[in-house]
Structure formats: C-alpha cells, structure tokens
Amino acid sequence: IKQSVFGDVNYWKNKAVRIPSPSETAFEAVKEFVKPKMVGVFARGRKCYGRNLQPEFYVKLIGLLEEKGYTPIWLGEEATTQPCPLPHIADFSRNPLSRHLEYTLALVKQCEFTVQFWTASTRLAGLMGVPYLLFESPDQIWGQGQEGIRRNLCDFGNRKLSVNHFLNVYNDNEAGLNIVKQCIEEMEVGNFEDHFGLVKDGAKALRKDHLERIGG
C-alpha cells in the first residue's frame, strides 16, 4: 500500500479529488474587484526566511503588466504580503473579505493568470486550474525543498516556472523584469515550458536527475 504522498507523487496525483469551484455567493461578494484581463499579483512579505523582493520591483512589475494591457490586482494574506505600493491598484490583501479563502479563490478563478516570486501562492491558481508564473530557486523545485512536489500535487492547469536564484533578481531588478516579460509573452502563445533564467549551469542537470522523483 502506498503510504507517503510525497514519496510517490505520480501515483497520488491521479487519486486527487479537486476542490469545487467557488460558489455564486463568493463570486457575487467580490464582483466589484473584477476587471478585464485581471492578473493576480502575490508579493511575498514574510518576516522570516527572507526572499522578499523590493517594493520598487513591484512598482515596475505593475507598470509592465499595465503596458501589456492587463489589470493587476493585489492578492494574498495580509500577514505575509507586502502592501500594494501603488494606490490605483486594488489591494484585496488588506480587505476584510480576503480572510475568507473562498472569496480569494473566486478572484483567482477570474484572473488571466497569477504571478508570484519565491512564495507558495501558486496553490491557489493551481487548484483553480488558472495559469500562473512562478519564479523559484532550483533547489526548492528539484533539490532539498518540497515546492516542486507540492506544485505537482496541487496543479490542475497550465503553469510557467522560471528558475532563478533569489539574490540575482534582488540585485538586478531589471534583469528579473525582462525575464517576467519574456515568460508572459511565451505564456500568451501557449508556451508553458520551464524557463531557466538567472541561475548556474547546474540547474538543468538538477532537474534531469530529480524530475521522476518530483513528479509531473
């Protein structure tokens, strides 16, 4: 008998029971936040473990999304999410409704995609079958971390992974944003293959060596 979910991802993924779509009540509760071509932005703001990008990065990210015709919306739980740095963007993370997970899922469900950097909010998009773009470190996906396994257990739709070392993006925001732009443009034409950005050469070898264990 298979005992460990993390020990055999491909076996257990096929036995997953998906959570239902949000209720009509939830969609109605958040309808004032829904805009055309909405993109959910999750801005990691944890006090532990680091890996929080600068507010200035998110200002430029918002500008990039708007230039491409998208409408960003700020999502996440208040305790672990940076405040939205621009007043014209709806900050749902600070709204009392955000404490109700189903309401957040109702917004995510209506997004074109979500974007997040070194944070686990991909679960929300993945469970709803909504595409997402994730920046993450290679070790978290295919090494000692468990993010790769969690993604493959929870994802039921398209997803785009860009593999980057955190400090490389933190120290060179412009390079990171250029990668965001490239990845979004690839997603727009249906390319959801893994992208290797600001990482060492060994990242692809790590993926090859551990892909079967991680699943997907």
Side-chain angles (χ1 to χ4, degrees), residues 22-200:
S23 65
E24 289 301 320
T25 299
F27 285 120
E28 180 67 21
V30 300
K31 68 179 183 179
E32 67 179 281
F33 293 94
V34 178
K35 299 294 186 293
K37 296 195 70 175
M38 191 165 62
V39 172
V41 178
F42 291 87
R44 179 188 177 100
R46 291 185 176 273
K47 297 179 181 179
C48 299
Y49 310 121
R51 295 182 291 170
N52 302 330
L53 290 172
Q54 306 94 321
E56 295 78 13
F57 174 90
Y58 288 104
V59 170
K60 293 179 180 179
L61 173 67
I62 289 170
L64 170 61
L65 291 170
E66 291 180 327
E67 287 174 8
K68 295 187 68 62
Y70 295 107
T71 305
I73 181 170
W74 213 252
L75 300 174
E77 56 180 3
E78 182 174 359
T80 60
T81 301
Q82 296 183 35
C84 183
L86 293 175
H88 72 282
I89 300 299
D91 188 348
F92 189 72
S93 72
R94 265 60 186 173
N95 190 291
L97 293 177
S98 69
R99 299 170 189 168
H100 197 308
L101 177 59
E102 187 181 13
Y103 294 166
T104 297
L105 291 174
L107 281 172
V108 169
K109 184 75 173 178
Q110 298 175 84
C111 287
E112 297 286 320
F113 60 90
T114 70
V115 59
Q116 44 270 303
F117 305 84
W118 291 278
T119 184
S121 57
T122 54
R123 311 281 191 281
L124 304 180
L127 288 168
M128 291 292 98
V130 172
Y132 68 75
L133 169 61
L134 169 67
F135 271 46
E136 189 53 273
S137 304
D139 186 65
Q140 282 293 316
I141 300 294
W142 302 298
Q144 298 300 311
Q146 296 178 331
E147 185 61 20
I149 293 175
R150 294 190 182 106
R151 288 175 69 232
N152 286 322
L153 286 170
C154 296
D155 287 356
F156 294 92
N158 290 323
R159 73 268 181 91
K160 184 79 171 179
L161 169 67
S162 182
V163 186
N164 299 272
H165 290 305
F166 170 74
L167 286 177
N168 290 344
V169 176
Y170 186 89
N171 292 327
D172 192 343
N173 282 185
E174 291 302 324
L177 289 163
N178 286 336
I179 292 172
V180 172
K181 182 175 184 291
Q182 177 185 341
C183 287
I184 291 175
E185 290 173 352
E186 290 178 359
M187 292 167 65
E188 289 172 337
V189 297
N191 179 354
F192 289 91
E193 295 180 359
D194 292 344
H195 171 268
F196 290 83
L198 306 177
V199 288
K200 297 179 181 178

Side-chain angles (χ1 to χ4, degrees), residues 4-15 146 148-154 211-216:
S4 172
V5 174
F6 277 26
D8 195 333
V9 177
N10 288 325
Y11 174 85
W12 286 109
K13 177 63 179 281
N14 293 329
K15 299 185 178 303
Q146 296 178 331
I149 293 175
R150 294 190 182 106
R151 288 175 69 232
N152 286 322
L153 286 170
C154 296
L211 191 59
E212 182 176 354
R213 174 180 65 84
I214 299 300

